[in-house]
């Protein structure tokens, strides 16, 4: 072996076995700049528990519409970021067997699917077209630049299929090294490269098989081929090679590693899947490995994919694995933390970040983690709190060893229960400019100074001796947060306890943060955020009533983009500061919340609190959060990068009166169609659960309707006419997708709704009147009275039919809409409460499917009768559509309305239907809301969201939309 090749070979082996170095987490990219270590990507896995039909992922692809496709031995799974749709052997797909071995997205953006029994299918614009099967497993397919389809088989050689479907085959007798063909590639010159179980060959322009000169690429299985920078990369059972010319010797890039798949990411990064050693990445001379020890489901890698959002998808024998960028990155013991249970973080003036955990103290500086040893003064080295002194020294409060002061990484002072502290558990430290220091312990707060020490406990006026927070405001007051409230020490030494009982019995005060520009001190409590006005001593609250999703909040910090970040046991909240100030000033009643957790890159959504500080803003603008699984970091300005991503959106299903229709560009719906539902999906995978939607039904809506994260829109009782449904998607804070999904449909009129019929009816009526007048000319007065009576009766009947549901006898949608508008305006005029409930019969489709539609109609009539019997005289009941009912409760408080709805739910649950079917039981789900600070358009949407939540939480429930997360059942 030449000396140069030997050196390269030794270097590659060294790099392959070298552990990945820690680096600052960064965005996926291929442009010049630092490349993040594999350990710093956000990792997640999907398998059969998440909806995949099989855990062996043989193939991966992303089509032009944005869908991700997974090929398994139990069919094809199409993924929209939320759920999988499975395609298997059926007339729709034309697959002869469920086993799928390979995908190929051709230059026309069509998806080719091939696998067991020689099944070969092309999916184009959602239409499946099957070709005659070959009767043998297909390993690879390739549509070349001349529109020729190449098919690699397992045991029957290489096939070529033209546009007419005619096939030609190459066997060993034609020069093919083996009948088992594993890989295919068309290079820039038009040559077709063929990797077999016995070496590599290529076909020249005359379709003659030519051998390569290299012995390394003969007599060895060739599993993967990739052309990059005028080189052919060849993945074999013996390693990865680079071939610049068929007659030249290849260069070994990864020795003695069986390579199964190759994926380029820009010019400098190469991902390498292996047969049994996991995933490798070569980036600018550095090779890293990721296997089951770092979370890979299985070390056998079968497929690789780089999606349109720069995530890496890895198909393995144990499911699909994803490496992706995320808003948050997390440091754990894998990156060098001494413990994953982090209690406090501090941004220091020396430019470093200090991290206190149950295992000790870390320092993060210049992208590297190091440890500060406290073993000389702390047995357990469990750090609860951190603070910086005015001289730049570091103060560390411990769990069992008191308070330590460090300067230049050396302990200069140590306070504990045997000298000046009442207890060794120190959860808060506050060094002051005069050199004194406040220490919050489990047995009180103590002020240590050169003039002497002073202890504050219950006897001195503290609500509780268990101290969790200390803060000195800009007006020099000391705020002391305890396990039973907050006390304030004035500059004159007077200690005053704040009365927080009127704020939903707020008790624990976990943290403080001052907004100097607004003159507010924010307090994080077990009942939400309290805003203390430093000039007026007034206290305002932002809690559940203002939109907070839960009560207990630990630490608030203000970033450089004008947002609050608040840690909690259930994730990290981001709030708009301006909205918070408007609430405090009485200009707004509701705050918009974004909640971040594990799906956003945090190793655990459980942040830690009860010690200071549990979160901090670093000098570079990043926000750091102490959690039960490491320390999590988010760079707020990077959220705009995610917002700039615009996910494509598709309409996945059109459901008309309970029946799913095959999607087309336009639809003609039958007269009398009552309920139309669109289900859609934004095909984004970075923050799938955060995608927001808006819809517009042209011909019905006057403006866009914001749907939030809801993935369906429903319309009932639409009048006949032509409509155009539009849906757009966006990540939070981003632009709406310009390529909207559009479905057009025409709702045909009933015979009596057609203009010709109405004209004919008018002519007949006029003729009848004329004849009646002529016939009864002798008794004109009598005829006139009779005619007036007839017209009045017909008019009354038509009005009744127009406003009454024919099946149940209740008011119909039209009558309900008129009553809703009337009652809403009346409630606004007289400042009364109007409640709206939407009721839906649970699992009603089963009744129709299993017992017949006639039984279903009888059930609806009985449900309507019970509802009418049990509702109040002032309430208005209507059939909303299908199995759904609506009820208006005027002049009724939300509590009284909830009692009425709960009584209805219980009566329906106990309804006896044994005369229809012996085991038939019916329940209903109810969504209830009120007009409290809602406009008319949002009233229905609020009730619908509550109904959707009731059904999602198990049905047979009442959910009150005005009280988040409160249900009655």
């Amino acid at each position: 072996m030449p000396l140069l090749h030997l050196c390269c070979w030794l270097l590659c082996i060294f790099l392959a076995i070298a552990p990945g170095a820690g680096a600052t987490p960064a965005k996926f990219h291929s442009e010049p700049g630092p490349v993040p270590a594999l350990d710093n990507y956000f990792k997640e896995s999907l398998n059969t528990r998440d909806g995949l039909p099989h855990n062996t992922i043989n193939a991966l692809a992303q089509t032009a519409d944005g869908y991700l496709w997974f090929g398994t031995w139990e069919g094809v799974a199409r993924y929209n970021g939320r759920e999988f749709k499975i395609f298997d052997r059926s007339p729709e797909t034309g697959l002869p067997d469920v086993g799928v071995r390979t995908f190929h997205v051709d230059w026309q953006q069509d998806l080719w699917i091939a696998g067991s029994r020689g099944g070969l299918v092309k999916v184009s614009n959602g239409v499946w077209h099957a070709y005659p099967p070959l009767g043998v497993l297909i390993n690879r397919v390739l549509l070349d630049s001349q529109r020729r389809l190449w098919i690699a088989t397992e045991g029957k050689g290489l096939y070529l299929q033209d546009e007419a479907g005619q096939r030609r085959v190459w066997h060993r007798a034609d020069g093919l090294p083996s009948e088992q063909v594993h890989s295919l590639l068309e290079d820039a010159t038009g040559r077709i490269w063929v990797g077999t179980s016995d070496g590599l060959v290529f076909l020249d322009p005359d379709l003659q098989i030519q051998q390569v000169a290299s012995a390394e690429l003969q007599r060895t299985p060739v599993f993967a081929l990739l052309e990059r920078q005028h080189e052919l990369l060849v993945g074999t059972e013996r390693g990865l090679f680079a071939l610049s010319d068929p007659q030249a010797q290849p260069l070994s890039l990864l020795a003695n590693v069986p390579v199964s798949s190759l994926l380029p990411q820009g010019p400098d990064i190469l991902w390498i899947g292996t047969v049994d050693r996991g995933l490798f990445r070569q980036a600018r001379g550095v090779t890293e490995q990721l296997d089951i020890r770092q979370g890979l489901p299985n070390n056998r890698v079968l497929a690789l994919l780089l999606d349109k959002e720069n995530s890496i998808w890895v198909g393995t024998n144990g499911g699909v694995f994803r490496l992706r960028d995320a808003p948050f990155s997390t440091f754990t013991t894998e990156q060098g933390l001494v413990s994953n249970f982090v209690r406090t973080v501090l941004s220091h003036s020396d430019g470093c970040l200090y991290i206190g955990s149950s295992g000790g103290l870390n320092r993060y500086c210049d992208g590297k983690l190091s440890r500060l040893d406290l073993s000389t003064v702390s047995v357990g080295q469990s750090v609860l709190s951190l603070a910086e002194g005015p001289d730049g020294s570091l103060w560390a409060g411990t769990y069992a060893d008191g308070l330590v002061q460090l300067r230049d990484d050396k302990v200069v002072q140590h306070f504990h229960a045997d000298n000046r502290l009442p207890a060794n558990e120190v959860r808060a430290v506050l060094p002051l400019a005069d050199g004194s220091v406040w220490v919050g312990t489990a047995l009180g707060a103590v002020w240590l100074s050169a003039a002497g020490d002073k202890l504050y406990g219950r006897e001195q006026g503290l609500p509780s001796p268990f101290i969790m927070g200390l803060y000195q405001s800009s007006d020099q007051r000391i705020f002391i947060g305890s396990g039973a409230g907050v006390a304030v020490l004035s500059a004159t030494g007077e200690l005053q306890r704040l009365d927080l009982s009127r704020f939903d019995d707020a008790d624990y005060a976990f943290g403080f943060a001052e907004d100097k520009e607004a003159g507010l001190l924010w307090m994080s409590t077990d009942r939400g955020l309290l805003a203390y006005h430093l000039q007026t001593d007034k206290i305002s609250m932002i809690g559940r009533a203002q939109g907070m999703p839960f009560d207990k909040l630990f630490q608030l910090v203000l970033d450089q983009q004008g947002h609050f970040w608040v840690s909690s046991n259930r994730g990290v909240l981001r709030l708009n500061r301006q909205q918070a100030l408007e609430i405090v000033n009485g200009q707004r009643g509701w705050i918009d919340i974004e909640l971040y957790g594990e799906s956003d890159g945090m190793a655990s959504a459980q942040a830690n609190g009860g010690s200071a500080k549990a979160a901090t803003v670093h000098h570079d603008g990043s926000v750091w959060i102490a959690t039960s699984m490491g320390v999590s970091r988010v760079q707020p300005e990077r959220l705009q990068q995610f917002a700039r991503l615009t996910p494509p959106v598709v309409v996945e299903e059109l459901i008309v009166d309970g029946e799913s229709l095959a999607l087309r560009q336009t639809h003609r719906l039958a007269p009398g169609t009552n309920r139309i539902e669109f289900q859609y999906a934004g095909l984004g995978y970075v923050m799938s659960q955060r995608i927001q939607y808006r819809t517009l039904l042209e011909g019905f809506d006057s403006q866009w309707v914001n749907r939030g994260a809801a993935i369906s829109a429903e319309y009932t009782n639409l009048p006949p006419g032509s409509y155009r449904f539009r849906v757009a998607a966006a990540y939070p804070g981003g632009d709406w997708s310009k390529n909207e999904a559009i479905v057009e449909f025409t709702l045909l009129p009933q015979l009596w709704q057609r203009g010709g019929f109405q004209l004919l009816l008018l002519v007949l009526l006029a003729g009848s009147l004329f004849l009646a007048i002529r016939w009864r000319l002798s008794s004109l007065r009598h005829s006139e009275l009779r005619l007036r009576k007839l017209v009045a009766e017909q008019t009354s009947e038509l009005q009744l039919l127009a406003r009454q549901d024919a099946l149940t006898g209740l008011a119909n949608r039209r009558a309900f809409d008129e009553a809703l508008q009337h009652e809403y305006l009346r409630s606004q005029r007289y400042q009364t409460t109007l409640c709206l409930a939407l009721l839906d019969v649970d699992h009603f489709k089963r009744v129709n499917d299993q017992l017949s539609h006639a039984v279903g109609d009888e059930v609806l009539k009985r449900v309507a009768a019970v509802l009418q019997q049990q509702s109040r005289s002032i309430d208005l009941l209507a059939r909303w559509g299908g199995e759904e009912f609506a009820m208006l409760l005027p002049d009724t408080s939300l509590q009284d309305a909830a009692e009425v709805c709960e009584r209805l739910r219980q009566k329906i649950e106990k309804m006896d239907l044994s005369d229809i079917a012996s085991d038939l039981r019916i329940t209903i789900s109810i969504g209830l809301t009120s007009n409290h600070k809602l406009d008319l358009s949002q009233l229905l949407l609020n009730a619908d969201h509550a109904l959707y939540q009731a059904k999602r939480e198990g049905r047979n429930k009442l959910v009150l939309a005005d009280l988040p997360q409160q249900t009655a059942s």
Side-chain angles (χ1 to χ4, degrees):
M1 178 182 296
L3 180 60
L4 176 61
H5 288 180
L6 176 62
C7 292
C8 292
W9 182 77
L10 292 174
L11 177 61
C12 288
I13 292 179
F14 171 77
L15 292 174
I17 63 176
T24 304
K27 190 179 187 298
F28 268 84
H29 56 80
S30 56
E31 61 271 10
V35 177
L38 288 182
D39 285 342
N40 292 329
Y41 288 131
F42 180 58
K43 310 177 184 76
E44 59 185 340
S45 299
L46 298 171
N47 52 40
T48 51
R49 292 190 297 272
D50 303 293
L52 280 169
H54 196 276
N55 281 332
T56 296
I57 310 300
N58 293 315
L60 296 167
Q62 185 173 28
T63 44
D65 53 17
Y67 278 116
L68 290 176
W69 299 77
F70 303 88
T72 79
W73 291 127
E74 288 296 328
V76 178
R78 191 185 71 186
Y79 188 48
N80 64 10
R82 292 174 178 260
E83 60 186 2
F84 294 95
K85 181 175 182 179
I86 310 303
F87 299 91
D88 53 20
R89 186 171 66 90
S90 69
E92 178 190 5
T93 66
L95 290 171
D97 189 87
V98 294
V100 173
R101 178 68 182 86
T102 187
F103 289 154
H104 172 59
V105 178
D106 63 29
W107 47 273
Q108 297 173 304
Q109 295 302 306
D110 292 333
L111 175 66
W112 294 84
I113 302 172
S116 298
R117 301 196 183 190
L120 181 62
V121 173
K122 181 175 71 172
V123 183
S124 180
N125 296 321
V127 179
W128 296 64
H129 175 72
Y131 292 86
L134 272 70
V136 64
L137 176 67
I138 297 176
N139 285 324
R140 291 288 184 271
V141 293
L142 168 69
L143 185 70
D144 68 16
S145 57
Q146 300 182 48
R147 307 174 70 93
R148 299 174 302 188
L149 185 68
W150 298 87
I151 306 170
T153 73
E154 182 71 20
K156 286 192 176 182
L158 174 66
Y159 282 78
L160 174 61
Q161 177 174 297
D162 60 23
E163 292 187 76
Q166 299 299 314
R167 291 168 176 168
R168 175 183 172 183
V169 63
W170 284 262
H171 297 290
R172 289 177 64 91
D174 303 299
L176 204 62
S178 169
E179 303 282 323
Q180 294 179 321
V181 183
H182 298 305
S183 52
L184 294 169
L185 173 75
E186 181 184 20
D187 67 17
T189 67
R191 290 179 296 196
I192 304 298
W193 293 84
V194 184
T196 76
S197 63
D198 204 21
L200 177 68
V201 297
F202 67 91
L203 281 81
D204 62 21
D206 297 326
L207 300 185
Q208 298 299 311
I209 293 178
Q210 304 294 331
Q211 305 291 327
V212 296
S214 169
E216 287 90 342
L217 301 181
Q218 298 175 3
R219 314 293 300 175
T220 183
V222 176
F223 299 123
L225 296 169
L226 173 67
E227 187 177 26
R228 190 180 68 161
Q229 298 176 350
H230 308 294
E231 282 187 329
L232 180 68
L233 301 186
V234 185
T236 76
E237 191 175 66
R238 300 175 187 170
L240 177 63
F241 298 91
L243 184 66
S244 58
D245 186 89
Q247 304 305 316
Q249 292 299 314
L251 176 66
S252 176
L253 300 181
L254 196 63
N256 296 320
V257 174
V259 174
S260 58
S261 52
L262 299 169
L263 175 68
Q265 186 183 3
D268 301 321
I269 301 176
L270 178 66
W271 298 85
I272 306 166
T274 72
V275 173
D276 58 3
R277 303 185 196 181
L279 179 67
F280 286 80
R281 185 190 66 178
Q282 291 183 343
R284 298 168 194 165
V286 176
T287 300
E288 294 177 273
Q289 183 181 7
L290 187 148
D291 56 23
I292 57 175
R293 294 170 296 182
Q294 291 85 37
L296 197 68
N298 189 282
N299 278 344
R300 182 173 177 81
V301 176
L302 299 164
L304 295 171
L305 173 69
L306 175 68
D307 73 13
K308 296 176 181 178
E309 294 176 319
N310 261 352
S311 294
I312 301 295
W313 297 81
V314 185
T316 78
N317 260 3
V320 67
F321 180 76
R322 175 158 64 150
L323 294 165
R324 69 173 173 92
D325 196 10
F328 283 78
S329 57
T330 300
F331 291 87
T332 65
T333 53
E334 291 185 4
Q335 286 77 38
L337 282 186
V338 293
S339 170
N340 283 335
F341 199 79
V342 178
R343 302 305 300 265
T344 179
V345 287
L346 172 70
S347 179
H348 198 279
S349 62
D350 62 8
C352 298
L353 188 96
Y354 292 84
I355 305 163
S357 67
S358 61
L361 182 60
N362 281 98
R363 176 168 52 207
Y364 180 78
C365 237
D366 300 325
K368 297 180 181 179
L369 278 170
S370 59
R371 180 176 183 179
L372 280 70
D373 188 10
L374 302 179
S375 59
T376 59
V377 293
S378 177
V379 177
Q381 300 197 60
S382 179
V383 177
L384 287 178
S385 54
L386 291 170
E388 181 181 358
D391 58 355
S393 61
L394 180 67
W395 294 85
T398 71
Y399 185 76
D401 298 292
L403 176 65
V404 180
Q405 184 186 20
L406 298 96
R407 188 179 292 113
D408 299 326
D409 297 348
K410 296 181 180 179
V411 176
V412 295
Q413 290 194 84
H414 181 204
F415 303 101
H416 46 80
D418 294 333
N419 50 34
R420 301 170 70 178
L421 298 185
N424 283 327
E425 183 177 335
V426 178
R427 291 180 175 269
V429 187
L430 178 62
L432 301 183
D434 60 4
S436 63
V437 59
W438 281 85
V439 186
T441 77
L443 293 178
V446 61
W447 178 52
L448 308 179
S449 70
D453 303 341
K454 185 171 184 180
L455 176 67
Y456 291 84
R458 278 202 177 94
E459 295 79 6
Q460 289 74 33
L462 285 185
S464 165
F466 190 79
I467 308 303
M468 295 179 295
L470 292 166
Y471 185 80
Q472 184 179 36
S473 61
S474 55
D475 58 9
Q476 305 306 304
R477 282 185 285 180
I478 305 296
F479 288 78
I480 305 172
S482 75
V486 177
V488 185
L489 184 68
S490 68
T492 61
E494 180 183 357
L495 189 66
Q496 176 188 3
R497 179 176 178 177
L498 299 182
D499 180 14
L500 306 182
S501 61
R502 65 185 187 276
F503 300 105
D504 204 9
D505 290 324
D507 200 1
Y508 284 84
F510 296 105
F512 302 97
E514 186 172 353
D515 187 343
K516 294 182 180 179
E517 182 182 343
L520 296 175
L521 180 67
W522 293 93
M523 298 183 285
S524 309
T525 77
D526 60 342
R527 288 296 184 268
L529 291 177
L530 297 182
Y532 183 87
H533 298 252
L534 292 171
Q535 290 188 351
T536 64
D537 296 334
K538 175 187 174 183
I539 303 176
S540 304
M541 184 177 187
I542 301 180
R544 283 183 178 267
Q546 290 75 37
M548 300 299 285
F550 35 77
D551 290 324
K552 192 177 296 183
L553 305 176
F554 294 142
Q555 183 67 55
L556 177 148
V557 295
L558 174 62
D559 68 17
Q560 298 173 359
Q561 285 72 39
H563 286 87
F564 289 148
W565 294 83
V566 188
S567 63
S568 78
N569 269 329
R570 296 162 67 178
V572 179
L573 301 167
R574 187 172 80 143
L575 294 70
N576 184 280
R577 173 181 175 270
Q578 186 58 40
Q579 289 187 5
L581 295 180
E582 289 174 2
I583 290 177
V584 168
N585 295 327
Q587 301 166 334
R588 186 185 181 96
W590 188 266
I591 193 164
D592 296 325
I593 301 292
E594 290 182 48
L595 178 63
Y596 295 88
E598 282 95 343
S599 64
D600 303 298
M602 299 181 70
S604 171
Q606 179 185 330
N608 280 328
S611 55
K613 279 188 171 184
T616 190
V617 177
H618 201 29
H619 304 303
D620 61 0
S622 58
V623 177
W624 294 72
I625 309 291
T627 81
S628 62
M629 185 54 69
V631 58
S632 290
R633 177 183 70 175
V634 60
Q635 187 62 263
E637 64 184 15
R638 291 186 61 243
L639 290 175
Q640 297 304 315
Q641 299 175 5
F642 292 101
R644 283 195 293 269
L645 296 172
T646 304
V649 62
V650 295
V651 175
E652 294 195 316
E653 194 170 8
L654 171 60
I655 303 174
V656 177
D657 287 341
E659 299 294 331
S660 179
L661 301 184
L663 282 171
R664 298 188 300 272
Q665 189 67 33
T666 60
H667 296 266
R668 289 173 62 84
L669 305 184
T673 295
N674 179 61
R675 192 171 192 169
I676 303 170
E677 179 182 358
F678 294 93
Q679 295 184 0
Y680 42 80
L683 301 181
Y685 305 94
V686 172
M687 297 186 292
S688 302
Q689 303 300 320
R690 298 189 177 281
I691 295 177
Q692 303 293 299
Y693 301 93
R694 66 176 185 177
T695 64
L696 177 67
L697 183 61
E698 294 180 359
F700 179 77
D701 294 323
S702 59
Q703 60 185 5
W704 286 94
V705 177
N706 289 322
R707 299 284 180 176
I711 55 175
S712 66
E714 185 176 298
Y715 303 90
T716 58
N717 294 320
L718 290 175
S722 296
Y723 298 92
R724 192 168 183 255
F725 176 77
R726 299 163 57 190
V727 58
Y731 281 123
D735 295 330
W736 293 104
S737 52
K738 293 182 174 57
N739 295 326
E740 304 163 0
I742 298 174
V743 176
E744 297 178 351
F745 65 94
T746 299
L747 183 57
L748 300 177
Q750 298 276 16
L751 177 62
W752 54 271
Q753 294 175 313
R754 297 178 182 177
F757 180 84
Q758 294 174 348
L759 178 60
L760 177 61
L761 184 62
L762 182 61
V763 171
L764 291 176
L765 182 59
S768 299
L769 291 174
F770 177 74
L771 292 176
I773 293 173
R774 291 287 303 271
W775 182 47
R776 300 296 302 270
L777 191 58
S778 60
S779 53
L780 182 60
R781 181 177 178 81
H782 178 70
S783 298
E784 182 181 0
L785 292 174
R786 182 179 178 185
L787 180 59
R788 288 180 178 179
K789 181 179 178 181
L790 177 63
V791 172
E793 289 175 351
Q794 289 180 342
T795 302
S796 175
E797 182 179 357
L798 287 173
Q799 289 177 344
L800 182 61
L801 288 173
R803 300 176 57 84
Q804 186 181 67
D805 178 65
L807 178 65
T808 63
L810 299 178
N812 64 10
R813 176 69 178 272
R814 177 180 298 176
F816 184 83
D817 287 345
E818 295 174 358
L820 173 60
Q821 186 172 13
H822 173 77
E823 290 295 339
Y824 181 83
L825 293 175
R826 192 176 70 85
S827 67
Q828 293 293 100
R829 186 164 55 252
Y830 296 108
Q831 297 296 307
T832 60
T833 301
L834 172 65
C835 291
L836 168 65
L838 293 182
L839 308 86
D840 191 89
V841 180
D842 297 327
H843 302 299
F844 184 73
K845 189 174 185 300
R846 297 179 184 172
V847 176
N848 282 336
D849 292 345
Q850 298 174 9
L851 299 177
S852 81
H853 286 272
V855 172
D857 289 347
E858 182 61 25
V859 168
L860 289 178
K861 288 192 288 186
R862 296 197 183 187
V863 168
V866 171
L867 293 177
Q868 202 163 26
Q869 291 168 5
Q870 299 299 322
S871 60
R872 305 170 307 172
S873 60
I874 66 172
D875 302 333
L876 173 65
L877 271 169
R879 186 181 180 193
W880 185 256
E883 66 274 16
E884 195 171 354
F885 299 84
M887 183 167 65
L888 275 179
L889 300 96
D891 299 326
T892 305
S893 68
L894 189 62
Q895 180 179 357
D896 291 342
E899 292 176 359
V900 172
C901 291
E902 181 61 19
R903 182 175 71 248
L904 295 179
R905 186 192 66 78
Q906 293 177 4
K907 288 294 183 179
I908 294 299
E909 186 180 20
K910 297 175 182 179
M911 188 168 59
D912 184 11
L913 300 172
S914 57
D915 60 321
I916 299 177
S918 58
D919 58 346
L920 180 59
R921 295 292 184 271
I922 291 298
T923 62
I924 60 174
S925 298
I926 306 174
L928 176 63
T929 189
S930 75
N931 64 337
H932 179 64
K933 298 185 179 180
L934 292 177
D935 57 32
L936 181 59
S937 63
Q938 288 294 318
L939 190 63
L940 282 169
L941 189 59
N942 229 30
D944 191 55
H945 285 172
L947 176 60
Y948 178 79
Q949 182 179 346
K951 299 181 81 63
R952 184 177 58 194
E953 293 180 358
R955 297 178 169 84
N956 193 20
K957 282 181 176 291
L958 165 64
V959 169
L960 282 62
D962 288 38
L963 299 176
Q965 298 189 357
Q966 179 173 339
T967 61
S969 61

